[in-house]
Amino acid sequence: MVAPSLRARVRAGMIDEIKAVARRHLATDGANLSLRAVARDMGMVSSAIYRYFPSRDDLLTALILEAYDALGDAVEAADAGVDRADLRGRWHATCRAARTWALAHPAEYALLYGSPVPGYAAPEDTVAPASRPPLTLVGIIRDGFAGGRLDPPGAEPPEPVRSDVAELSALLAVDLPPSLLARGMAGWTQLFGLISFELFGRTNGMLPHRDEYFDHQTGLMADLIGLPAA
Amino acid sequence: MVAPSLRARVRAGMIDEIKAVARRHLATDGANLSLRAVARDMGMVSSAIYRYFPSRDDLLTALILEAYDALGDAVEAADAGVDRADLRGRWHATCRAARTWALAHPAEYALLYGSPVPGYAAPEDTVAPASRPPLTLVGIIRDGFAGGRLDPPGAEPPEPVRSDVAELSALLAVDLPPSLLARGMAGWTQLFGLISFELFGRTNGMLPHRDEYFDHQTGLMADLIGLPAA
DNA sequence: TCTCTTGCGAGAGCGGTGCTCTCATATCAG
DNA sequence: CTGATATGAGAGCACCGCTCTCGCAAGAGA
């Protein structure tokens, strides 16, 4: 690997700085990111930004990708920090990490999980990083089931749900009975529903003890899945 | 009540027409509603709109209020259409009505349940209509509990969740044990998490049978709550 | 070392946005 | 019939994303 030229390094630094400034604007001004304001903050004229990002949407896409990666990192690190056998502890740590990241980066979370930007279509590259949190969650369930510490719930879902979920199970390469994977997906849905409700102000006022409420609600889903305590 | 003057009636008609055109634009162009485009569509100049709505945000607020009411109407009508004793049937009908309305009005749903618009704070008048769907859901649970057909789950939530939820129970004037209300809120969170995931493209591709998947997932929450079949 | 290509920032400009102000007119009330 | 009021048009301000051109500086090749 050849050393990048000075020009290339300066360019990479500029791209990073633009993204950093844009992230700052995102945090203060919300989702309507202004290219001109970013340029002003950098002492540049707006057209100069187009040397680095072909359009505002491309800059947004870059921010979205990095946000997905940051969330994925946080979630996976939290899971990895708990004893592999402590399934319920891993579940709670994973859920909490997602919420903590979201509370620390509300604008970026809204970019990922809020209403899609009108003319904007998420490019293909986002699906892999976007699937890291749910994969972490089903990983916990897979470990429990493979280790014989997680009994599948009695009845399988009725057709055609059973086959749909079974196909998804094969696609994800997790060897789980559909009944169990369906419950895991319920936990996934619940997790981001909880975070969105809290962040978008749907539960404002009621429930003063938000941390504890969050833990209790994610615990209910752990119950539904059947995750045993450590 | 005195008959409204011609001017007043014309004015009310204008307001309605502006809202109708704005709703149409919302449906086609997404959330970034353009006042000027609405004015153009009505053969008016943009400044004339300001005779009827003091700002774009006020027009959005009016649309949001009407959307909340439409969703509330749909949800309550669905619940009312099922035999009072069929708790599980009511639960499913209510959930389905919310999803059906959302699929029919995706842009308005995104306005209600998507990321909050940056500079925009939801006015006080929205909290009452916004609470109609969750109140319908807890109403089903209340009926079941009051009728002795719904056993409270074993353990109460640990403090301070128990008292928070108990206070909420008093505020809503539903006489439910916190354990049960907490599960009802889990169902509420799950419902809108499911709809948001489906509408915002989070489950694209996987799960081809969306109706059946939705029913199964809301059924899981009915199980968690303990709602008996008819 | 000298040229010459390439990358980059500045600036002007286009059509769009929300919003304000002024002015003429149409409608209503007394 | 007259005076107050409500309404629409139009111009204009500051902002937006984006395009194009024009100098200038840095790197590459001879």
Side-chain angles (χ1 to χ4, degrees), chain B residues 185-198:
Chain B
M185 297 182 65
W188 169 51
T189 308
Q190 174 79 359
L191 169 59
F192 287 96
L194 266 174
I195 296 175
S196 295
F197 269 12
E198 178 174 356

Side-chain angles (χ1 to χ4, degrees), chain A residues 6-7 33-36 40 46-47 50-51 55-56:
Chain A
L6 172 65
R7 191 122 90 173
L33 179 67
S34 158
L35 266 189
R36 290 180 113 110
R40 262 195 307 272
S46 75
S47 60
Y50 289 83
R51 298 283 177 198
S55 81
R56 179 178 164 278

Side-chain angles (χ1 to χ4, degrees), chain A residues 70-84:
Chain A
L71 173 62
D73 287 349
V75 159
E76 287 172 9
D79 175 45
V82 179
D83 175 23
R84 299 288 80 192

Side-chain angles (χ1 to χ4, degrees), chain B residues 71-163:
Chain B
L71 172 62
D73 287 348
V75 160
E76 288 173 8
D79 175 45
V82 180
D83 174 24
R84 298 290 79 192
D86 180 6
L87 300 175
R88 216 183 167 87
R90 289 170 64 188
W91 180 268
H92 272 116
T94 303
C95 292
R96 280 194 204 118
R99 172 172 179 263
T100 302
W101 185 90
L103 292 182
H105 308 88
E108 291 171 78
Y109 177 86
L111 224 50
L112 304 186
Y113 289 94
S115 9
V117 180
Y120 173 81
E124 204 55 33
D125 342 353
T126 60
V127 333
S131 60
R132 290 172 63 187
L135 282 180
T136 305
L137 292 177
V138 305
I140 300 171
I141 302 175
R142 189 221 321 109
D143 288 356
F145 182 69
R149 310 193 39 231
L150 229 178
D151 296 327
E156 284 297 324
E159 292 296 345
V161 176
R162 203 206 58 80
S163 3

Side-chain angles (χ1 to χ4, degrees), chain B residues 6-7 33-36 40 46-47 50-51 55-56:
Chain B
L6 172 64
R7 192 123 90 175
L33 179 67
S34 159
L35 267 189
R36 290 180 112 109
R40 262 196 305 273
S46 75
S47 61
Y50 288 85
R51 299 287 177 195
S55 82
R56 179 177 163 280

